[in-house]
Amino acid sequence: MHTTTRWLSFCALFSLAPLAAVACGDGTPDANTPPQPTAEPTASASAGPTAAPTAVPTAEPTATPTAEPTASASASAPVDKPKSGRPPVLLADAKSITDTFGFSPGAKLELGDKEIATLRIPEGALSQATVVTFAIDTKCKTTGVVTGKLYKITPTIPPAATPASVPSNNGAPYTLILPGVKKRDLNLAIGTYAKDAKGNEAIVWKILGPAKVDESGIFEFHLDTLPDGCVHLTNKPPT
């Protein structure tokens, strides 16, 4: 009887031994546990997205040097005209205008009663005080077939008593506007006073083409020099 009881107790303890070992956390590795696979980089992993390359800063752009102006460029540049803001002097008469004009302001001379001839002196064209006469003169010399009236321009720079042609001081042209009596193919005859070989007074003619002609037959001429002489419309070609 006692032998049977001991045997049963021993068997019970033996059968509970594995469970006790598990409950107590026996750290002995199980020889039958298969080894875990070691993670190794694969081709698919390396083919994944990579970090965007950092932009390499480039050198700051340098300003392109401006070419120095050349002599030819400066020579061809238009001359700056003075801009005082002062309105031009306006004078009008049916037969003759005489007055003194200077560097500033400009002047606009209107001559005639029905058919108006206009002489414009731009601001800055005269470098000093100049007496200018603009008149209708029936005794003026002519060349070619004349259309319209005969006009005389007489500039004088005091203290000189003798008239003389006056070039524009700043490159702005003098403007002469004449009525053409509705004719189209006309030019300006400019006759300036000179001396011939014997010392006698003579007229030297220059024929100038118009800068503009409007539909009503008004001719506009640009003069680089205010002439001392006679002017009129002519059928002669430009020289």
Side-chain angles (χ1 to χ4, degrees):
M1 180 67 180
H2 292 286
T3 303
T4 303
T5 301
R6 289 179 179 175
W7 174 251
L8 292 173
S9 298
F10 178 76
C11 289
L13 290 174
F14 183 78
S15 61
L16 292 175
L19 296 177
V22 173
C24 294
D26 185 5
T28 303
D30 190 351
N32 295 325
T33 302
Q36 296 297 322
T38 302
E40 294 184 1
T42 62
S44 60
S46 61
T50 58
T54 304
V56 179
T58 59
E60 292 293 330
T62 56
T64 303
T66 304
E68 293 293 331
T70 60
S72 59
S74 59
S76 60
V79 179
D80 290 335
K81 300 178 180 61
K83 297 178 181 178
S84 66
R86 302 173 64 188
V89 175
L90 176 60
L91 298 175
D93 192 86
K95 295 182 178 180
S96 180
I97 299 172
T98 299
D99 211 325
T100 301
F101 308 96
F103 183 86
S104 177
K108 181 180 180 181
L109 314 182
E110 295 183 346
L111 194 63
D113 49 5
K114 295 181 179 179
E115 297 176 351
I116 305 299
T118 303
L119 174 61
R120 292 177 180 171
I121 302 174
E123 185 178 16
L126 300 175
S127 60
Q128 56 187 305
T130 305
V131 179
V132 178
T133 295
F134 183 38
I136 296 174
D137 191 343
T138 58
K139 296 181 180 180
C140 265
K141 302 293 184 180
T142 63
T143 182
V145 176
V146 178
T147 296
K149 293 181 173 60
L150 309 179
Y151 303 92
K152 187 175 183 180
I153 301 174
T154 309
T156 305
I157 300 177
T162 304
S165 299
V166 181
S168 174
N169 171 66
N170 66 348
Y174 304 97
T175 302
L176 182 62
I177 301 175
L178 299 179
V181 196
K182 298 183 180 179
K183 290 188 178 180
R184 306 290 295 180
D185 298 329
L186 298 175
N187 299 300
L188 181 67
I190 305 171
T192 53
Y193 298 106
K195 297 291 184 180
D196 59 17
K198 296 180 179 181
N200 299 319
E201 187 176 87
I203 296 288
V204 177
W205 290 102
K206 176 182 179 181
I207 311 300
L208 180 68
K212 296 179 183 178
V213 182
D214 70 10
E215 295 179 355
S216 62
I218 302 300
F219 289 75
E220 180 176 321
F221 301 92
H222 295 170
L223 314 176
D224 57 7
T225 299
L226 190 63
D228 169 33
C230 296
V231 297
H232 64 80
L233 293 174
T234 182
N235 66 334
K236 282 193 171 183
T239 56

